[in-house]
Amino acid sequence: MSAAFPLFLTLTGQTVLIVGGGELALRKARLVAGDGGDGRGAHLVVVAPEVHPDLATLAAEVRRRPFAAYDLDGVTLVFAAGEDEDEAAGVADLARARGLLVNVPDRPALSTFIMPAIVDRGPITVAISTGGTSPVLARRLRARIEAALEPGLGRLATFLDGFRTAVRAVKSDETARRRFWERVIDGPVAQRFLAGDEAGAHEQLVKILNAGDAGDAIEGGSVALVGAGPGDPDLLTLRALRVLQNADVVVHDKLVDDRILDYVRRDARRVYVGKSKSCHTVSQDEINALLVREAQAGHRVVRLKGGDPFIFGRGGEEMAVLRAAGVAVELVPGITAAVGCAAATGIPLTHRGLAQGITLVTAHGANAGGGSAEPALDWTALARLDHTLAVYMGLSKAGLVAERLIAAGKAPGTPVAVVQNGTRPDQTLAVGRLADLGALAASLTGPALILVGEVVTLADPSKIATDVFTTLSSTPGRLGDTTLGSGLKAAV
């Protein structure tokens, strides 16, 4: 058990004295002065011969002179934050003699209180302390907690506070009130509010209140269309992580890494609807019906997709079906494969003098029978654009892509890259020429992304699977008309 007892002080209207005028004093002042609108601002008095301009702005009173004992008159809290250690020790001695709370930064033996690392989601405050043993560790812990807490939690607390009187009138029993608030905070009302739909959250909470004991049946479910990113769980967004951990049901695809599924609540139900080429475990119509059915049963559903739901992920179709059924939908974007794979291989998607833009296409079109057909792309426009071309789901049609682009005027020597399992531990990068794209792809199995363009010459040499290129090597040192660095010589 810590020797320090945690508590929170109300400093509004109280006088806080800071002895010192430098950066350290400024940091302490920012913690206690507040921003003028949070109700936490203290009456700040600064004593020092020289005072930092920003500190002078925060202070209600600045005394530009050395500290004197009478500066402690009427003070509630003291920070001895000057650079002179002897002066700081003297200030601490005098403050303790008067029974005042005093802090000397980085000198816990002289302090009667320790400043914690603070996560501020006003009016919600989280404080972390190591008892003065390791301030850096406390700051690290603060960063982790801060990342895990939604930025809108403070506003949510204020929003809920506005309903306290109404809830007390409807729910006279304390246990009933507690259970009511638990449902609200864990359910769609809070979910909608944190997703930015404050009007919808207000409307639903009013509806639940007006329904009295029948309110449980009104809450209803919701669906979040969540992008899981290209594979690496570290690339999952904070919002995606929070929604996953709040889900009752997770409907996921084949391309979602198992390590990402580890973030799902243990008691949540997982439904696999994975698809691969020519092997659809569950049809899209069945998935749509499943999402509607689970939401209408009152569940918080996450539809988890690899990459981004709105980039060749059919998220738009699912969104339209859910909205038509009156189901609340939240959209949580993910890092799409082109962005993730490019970063993982050191290939910039745009680069001055090499690519002025990026075009995303899929190599699979839909035919009347529901299978895959050649996509209806304007190959001439794609060949002419000064863009990096990112081809999704193109491994089985890599030869066709190369054939169509070359026929449309793209140089056969244009650099290309095939990234398999991008961002994952088993990632493979193969690079070569557009004319060799079919042979490059033939040695790999999906999932893979194809990049076409001069930016491929900037790929990180250490990421290249050199065994793939040995079979394709000819004249080393050049790729088409582009001079290569030594790291790509084996690729040509």
Side-chain angles (χ1 to χ4, degrees):
M1 181 180 293
S2 173
F5 183 79
L7 48 81
F8 292 87
L9 294 176
T10 300
L11 293 178
T12 305
Q14 301 296 310
T15 299
V16 173
L17 175 68
I18 295 182
V19 181
E23 288 285 348
L24 182 58
L26 175 60
R27 290 200 296 271
K28 302 305 179 185
R30 284 171 173 159
L31 290 173
V32 298
D35 61 8
D38 58 9
R40 193 182 65 204
H43 181 83
L44 194 59
V45 176
V46 175
V47 178
E50 296 182 7
V51 179
H52 190 290
D54 292 342
L55 177 56
T57 300
L58 287 174
E61 183 181 349
V62 177
R63 302 168 185 172
R64 299 181 187 273
R65 56 168 174 75
F67 167 79
Y70 57 80
D71 288 319
L72 296 173
D73 294 346
V75 168
T76 300
L77 204 67
V78 181
F79 289 95
E83 296 181 2
D84 187 326
E85 293 189 2
D86 290 337
E87 179 190 56
V91 171
D93 287 342
L94 289 172
R96 285 199 306 273
R98 293 197 183 195
L100 299 176
L101 294 172
V102 60
N103 174 266
V104 183
D106 297 325
R107 300 179 72 181
L110 297 178
S111 305
T112 59
F113 75 93
I114 298 167
M115 284 299 294
I118 295 173
V119 179
D120 193 347
R121 294 286 191 273
I124 296 172
T125 304
V126 180
I128 307 104
S129 173
T130 60
T133 58
S134 180
V136 173
L137 177 58
R139 288 195 292 271
R140 292 291 190 216
L141 292 173
R142 178 191 63 192
R144 293 181 188 179
I145 294 172
E146 196 158 30
L149 299 180
E150 290 95 332
L153 276 179
R155 290 186 299 104
L156 174 62
T158 302
F159 167 75
L160 297 177
D161 183 57
F163 285 86
R164 288 179 64 188
T165 301
V167 171
R168 184 175 291 276
V170 173
K171 307 282 186 182
S172 58
D173 180 70
E174 183 178 348
T175 300
R177 286 198 300 273
R178 175 176 55 79
R179 290 176 178 171
F180 172 84
W181 285 121
E182 286 173 350
R183 290 200 313 273
V184 168
I185 292 169
D186 292 336
V189 172
Q191 188 175 2
R192 284 190 176 190
F193 187 93
L194 293 172
D197 184 11
E198 298 186 18
H202 187 279
E203 179 182 352
Q204 189 159 19
L205 185 48
V206 169
K207 187 183 296 185
I208 295 169
L209 271 175
N210 290 338
D213 292 337
D216 291 355
I218 294 178
E219 287 190 61
S222 62
V223 175
L225 302 177
V226 178
D232 185 346
D234 284 346
L235 298 179
L236 197 68
T237 67
L238 290 174
R239 182 62 192 158
L241 177 62
R242 291 165 185 148
V243 171
L244 271 178
Q245 293 176 339
N246 201 38
D248 301 313
V249 182
V250 177
V251 180
H252 64 96
D253 283 345
K254 177 183 177 66
L255 295 180
V256 176
D257 193 290
D258 287 342
R259 294 171 297 168
I260 290 174
L261 292 175
D262 287 341
Y263 289 118
V264 176
R265 254 180 34 209
R266 290 185 179 182
D267 59 337
R269 184 156 44 91
R270 303 180 187 187
V271 181
Y272 174 68
V273 293
K275 299 178 183 180
S276 58
K277 183 176 179 289
S278 303
C279 181
H280 290 189
T281 302
V282 183
S283 72
Q284 187 60 52
D285 286 343
E286 290 173 317
I287 292 173
N288 294 343
L290 171 66
L291 296 176
V292 171
R293 186 168 62 251
E294 292 289 351
Q296 289 180 340
H299 299 142
R300 289 165 293 186
V301 183
V302 165
R303 174 67 172 108
L304 189 61
K305 297 169 171 285
D308 181 274
F310 281 6
I311 299 181
F312 307 123
R314 306 189 76 169
E317 298 172 41
E318 293 172 355
M319 178 184 69
V321 169
L322 291 164
R323 286 179 173 173
V327 174
V329 184
E330 179 183 357
L331 310 175
V332 183
I335 295 176
T336 189
V339 174
C341 292
T345 55
I347 300 174
L349 293 175
T350 62
H351 190 81
R352 187 180 302 178
L354 296 182
Q356 301 306 307
I358 176 160
T359 300
L360 311 179
V361 299
T362 175
H364 286 271
N367 60 29
S372 175
E374 180 178 340
L377 298 173
D378 187 341
W379 296 104
T380 301
L382 293 175
R384 185 176 62 248
L385 283 172
D386 187 20
H387 282 194
T388 301
L389 179 63
V391 184
Y392 287 65
M393 297 171 282
L395 206 59
S396 64
K397 287 186 166 58
L400 175 66
V401 169
E403 178 185 331
R404 294 289 187 264
L405 286 173
I406 292 172
K410 200 75 171 176
T414 302
V416 296
V418 183
V419 187
Q420 176 183 269
N421 296 320
T423 78
R424 304 184 188 206
D426 57 348
Q427 171 182 292
T428 300
L429 168 63
V431 301
R433 300 166 299 187
L434 181 59
D436 299 320
L437 180 56
L440 275 175
S443 63
L444 303 172
T445 57
L449 179 89
I450 297 171
L451 295 173
V452 181
E454 300 296 330
V455 293
V456 171
T457 63
L458 301 176
D460 183 345
S462 69
K463 306 293 186 181
I464 297 172
T466 53
D467 58 311
V468 175
F469 311 128
T470 304
T471 59
L472 299 173
S473 59
S474 54
T475 305
R478 298 185 66 81
L479 184 57
D481 296 327
T482 305
T483 302
L484 297 177
S486 58
L488 295 182
K489 288 181 180 178
V492 296

